[in-house]
Amino acid sequence: MKKLLPPVLFLLAIIVLIAARYLWPQSNLIPPPWHWLGLLLIVAGLVVGIPAANRFHRIGTNIRTFNEPGQLVTEGAFRYTRNPMYLGFSLMLLGLAIVFPVLTSFIVVIAFVVITDRWYIRFEEAAMERKFGDAYREYKSRVRRWL
């Protein structure tokens, strides 16, 4: 299961979310034109997630979930959330669920957030504590996991 990296789960969630909208007839939970407000969340997710990923690439630290962490990053969006890339993915999925506002879409978003929180983030946090010890615990005590 370690081969299912977060971006792959994110893409699978998008596929299921969009497919569910068209394959299983459901009533829209958010009527037009209000469903287009989901685009704002998609943009917000991009604004949060992409710079965080770029920061990892810029400083040359590991971005892959199941590899050993390279550096403790606490600047930029990491001052406000320990997981801006996951937050970005989640915001984009929530925005997409609002654009395609059927019950199944929101279930996909919830499933993504739960899997991310309980599997990826817990794995990463344990690795970060092992590698960075007190520095990571101090960071964790002052910066929230999500927001």
Side-chain angles (χ1 to χ4, degrees):
M1 196 79 168
K2 284 188 176 184
K3 294 190 190 278
L4 184 62
L5 294 172
V8 175
L9 180 65
F10 174 68
L11 291 175
L12 289 172
I14 289 173
I15 291 166
V16 170
L17 192 146
I18 293 171
R21 169 68 178 98
Y22 293 105
L23 295 177
W24 298 292
Q26 303 170 51
S27 60
N28 285 336
L29 299 174
I30 302 169
W34 301 108
H35 70 290
W36 293 116
L37 291 174
L39 294 175
L40 295 174
L41 286 175
I42 293 170
V43 170
L46 291 168
V47 167
V48 170
I50 290 175
N54 287 342
R55 182 173 296 275
F56 268 42
H57 291 298
R58 209 171 32 257
I59 65 174
T61 193
N62 172 49
I63 197 167
R64 291 193 168 251
T65 299
F66 300 109
N67 293 350
E68 182 172 340
Q71 295 182 44
L72 178 58
V73 180
T74 60
E75 306 87 35
F78 293 92
R79 289 180 300 196
Y80 308 104
T81 172
R82 295 193 311 260
N83 299 285
M85 289 173 264
Y86 293 131
L87 179 60
F89 282 152
S90 299
L91 287 171
M92 286 185 278
L93 282 177
L94 181 57
L96 210 56
I98 292 170
V99 170
F100 298 104
V102 295
L103 181 60
T104 309
S105 297
F106 294 99
I107 292 170
V108 169
V109 175
I110 291 167
F112 178 85
V113 169
V114 169
I115 291 168
T116 297
D117 190 67
R118 302 295 173 205
W119 186 32
Y120 296 126
I121 292 175
R122 286 199 181 179
F123 179 89
E124 290 176 1
E125 286 183 343
M128 298 290 281
E129 280 199 41
R130 280 191 304 276
K131 177 140 187 184
F132 302 110
D134 288 338
Y136 182 71
R137 282 187 284 278
E138 188 278 324
Y139 170 68
K140 199 167 114 170
S141 73
R142 64 182 166 77
V143 178
R144 293 176 186 231
R145 180 180 277 174
W146 288 95
L147 280 179

